[in-house]
Amino acid sequence: MFLIVSTPANSQSNLPDFNIQKCALPPELTASCITHGRNIEVPTAPNQRWSMDFMSDQLSNGRRFRVLNVIDDYLREMVGQLVSVAISGRQVSRFLDQLRKSEANPTR
């Protein structure tokens, strides 16, 4: 298993450099953290594969909100984002249908 650590910004690009360090994990964690024995294909062009991720955060007044991010895995750009205090399955379905109509569909 590897750990990616951000180091101070590079003076030329103002972007952080990343060091990859090997770290030891217990065998029971290593097996579940990697890919469950599957090989993951790396996309070679835009719109081959999108990934979705749900996130949650809290405002300073204590009110929680949720965010659904859809990202193009090759470009690493945001394809779409849905923000709401509660996201239902119906909202997710409608949102993904809108993305399919407005963007090129992923092949996977």
Side-chain angles (χ1 to χ4, degrees):
M1 196 67 175
F2 294 93
L3 176 66
I4 299 175
V5 180
S6 174
T7 57
N10 183 340
S11 61
Q12 294 174 349
S13 66
N14 291 332
L15 295 174
D17 291 329
F18 292 97
N19 284 334
I20 299 178
Q21 302 173 351
K22 190 159 185 147
C23 63
L25 288 176
E28 62 274 5
L29 273 181
T30 305
S32 65
C33 288
I34 302 181
T35 59
H36 300 289
R38 298 174 300 183
N39 291 330
I40 296 177
E41 295 179 24
V42 177
T44 57
N47 290 319
Q48 281 188 341
R49 185 178 62 208
W50 291 352
S51 293
M52 295 189 310
D53 184 27
F54 287 94
M55 299 174 66
S56 179
D57 205 350
Q58 186 173 345
L59 300 173
S60 60
N61 64 5
R63 187 161 183 178
R64 298 189 66 80
F65 65 95
R66 286 155 182 58
V67 181
L68 169 63
N69 298 306
V70 180
I71 300 169
D72 184 309
D73 289 344
Y74 178 77
L75 296 174
R76 297 180 187 235
E77 289 182 354
M78 184 74 59
V79 177
Q81 192 171 48
L82 175 65
V83 180
S84 180
V85 293
I87 300 176
S88 69
R90 186 170 289 165
Q91 284 177 302
V92 171
S93 178
R94 193 174 330 137
F95 176 67
L96 292 175
D97 284 342
Q98 289 173 351
L99 281 180
R100 282 186 33 228
K101 291 175 185 172
S102 65
E103 298 285 333
N105 291 329
T107 56
R108 293 181 215 159

